[in-house]
Amino acid sequence: NAGVTQTPKFQVLKTGQSMTLQCAQDMNHNSMYWYRQDPGMGLRLIYYSASEGTTDKGEVPNGYNVSRLNKREFSLRLESAAPSQTSVYFCASSEVPVREQYFGPGTRLTVT
Amino acid sequence: QKEVEQNSGPLSVPEGAIASLNCTYSDRVSQSFFWYRQYSGKSPELIMSIYSNGDKEDGRFTAQLNKASQYVSLLIRDSQPSDSATYLCAVNVGLNAGNNRKLIWGLGTSLAVNP
């Protein structure tokens, strides 16, 4: 089992460009999450999907959109990237909300 | 405001010693608690989960939960240089409306194990 996979691993964008971060899990988990991690700020929840067909805002949703494509896949879209979105993005999944979460390897995004 | 607090460290211990990491939380109805390890440049990795008061042991790791005092701790016995990492505490909290609960993360404690 691959667990949680994320693509791409690294990305550099110019301000105003758009991109989609992809996440997939093969653990048959119901819940999936997108976090960003910045120095001194810790892990902050952007959006989550408690189950297939539902999505909800987390702590820092502005500037992002998500799609729960199916039970396996949860994507994060930046419509118009800003330098403040330079960060490391992690996708995670869990069997049900607030149980153990398992993380993907992360995407390091730089917006210039 | 639901909070999870950890001492940022760095906590420095000699090889072979016991490392003690602490976490306090503010939500009295939290039910599940997790410790993660994160190496520099890597993603968080689950070490332990604990749901009831008392101790839970897994190899060199022991998680301790005291709900009355609202703290959870992680002990690492026989610390090794490979244990040098940032340790994150995560606690489930409830939102003001309904039963929609999610994890809140501490900022982490940096541990350095010196050979």
Side-chain angles (χ1 to χ4, degrees):
Chain A
N1 286 351
V4 180
T5 57
Q6 292 183 237
T7 55
K9 287 187 168 53
F10 300 93
Q11 184 71 48
V12 178
L13 292 177
K14 295 187 187 302
T15 297
Q17 288 184 319
S18 62
M19 78 163 296
T20 299
L21 282 64
Q22 305 286 355
C23 174
Q25 53 90 10
D26 63 2
M27 295 177 282
N28 200 35
H29 284 171
N30 291 295
S31 305
M32 298 185 73
Y33 312 84
W34 277 105
Y35 291 94
R36 61 178 289 176
Q37 188 174 39
D38 304 286
M41 302 294 289
L43 279 166
R44 292 183 292 171
L45 183 65
I46 305 171
Y47 270 93
Y48 66 103
S49 172
S51 60
E52 187 179 358
T54 68
T55 60
D56 287 285
K57 295 179 181 179
E59 189 182 350
V60 288
N62 291 345
Y64 306 95
N65 285 300
V66 290
S67 295
R68 183 74 183 266
L69 304 171
N70 48 55
K71 190 172 185 179
R72 291 186 62 249
E73 298 173 287
F74 189 38
S75 64
L76 178 71
R77 182 159 179 84
L78 287 70
E79 290 290 352
S80 179
S84 61
Q85 294 178 304
T86 293
S87 187
V88 179
Y89 291 84
F90 291 109
C91 177
S93 71
S94 64
E95 184 178 352
V96 292
V98 303
R99 291 300 297 265
E100 295 88 346
Q101 293 184 10
Y102 297 89
F103 284 77
T107 294
R108 282 150 182 77
L109 175 66
T110 301
V111 182
T112 62
Chain B
Q1 180 77 19
K2 313 296 184 184
E3 292 185 346
V4 175
E5 297 193 3
Q6 299 180 251
N7 187 327
S8 63
L11 173 65
S12 182
V13 301
E15 183 174 355
I18 296 175
S20 178
L21 305 162
N22 299 311
C23 172
T24 59
Y25 60 94
S26 60
D27 185 357
R28 288 189 171 275
V29 299
S30 295
Q31 296 295 319
S32 53
F33 308 84
F34 307 94
W35 283 101
Y36 286 77
R37 176 176 62 198
Q38 187 174 25
Y39 293 112
S40 180
K42 300 295 186 182
S43 59
E45 173 191 11
L46 178 70
I47 300 176
M48 297 278 287
S49 57
I50 186 165
Y51 298 92
S52 54
N53 276 330
D55 295 0
K56 179 181 178 182
E57 186 175 318
D58 184 0
R60 295 187 296 112
F61 299 97
T62 299
Q64 299 174 317
L65 175 61
N66 184 323
K67 291 186 179 180
S69 300
Q70 294 177 245
Y71 81 80
V72 56
S73 62
L74 180 70
L75 301 179
I76 307 175
R77 291 182 299 281
D78 188 24
S79 295
Q80 301 296 310
S82 59
D83 294 324
S84 298
T86 297
Y87 289 81
L88 304 175
C89 172
V91 176
N92 89 341
V93 298
L95 300 180
N96 290 331
N99 296 316
N100 193 7
R101 301 179 71 83
K102 59 185 179 182
L103 291 187
I104 298 296
W105 296 79
L107 295 181
T109 298
S110 175
L111 172 65
V113 181
N114 305 308

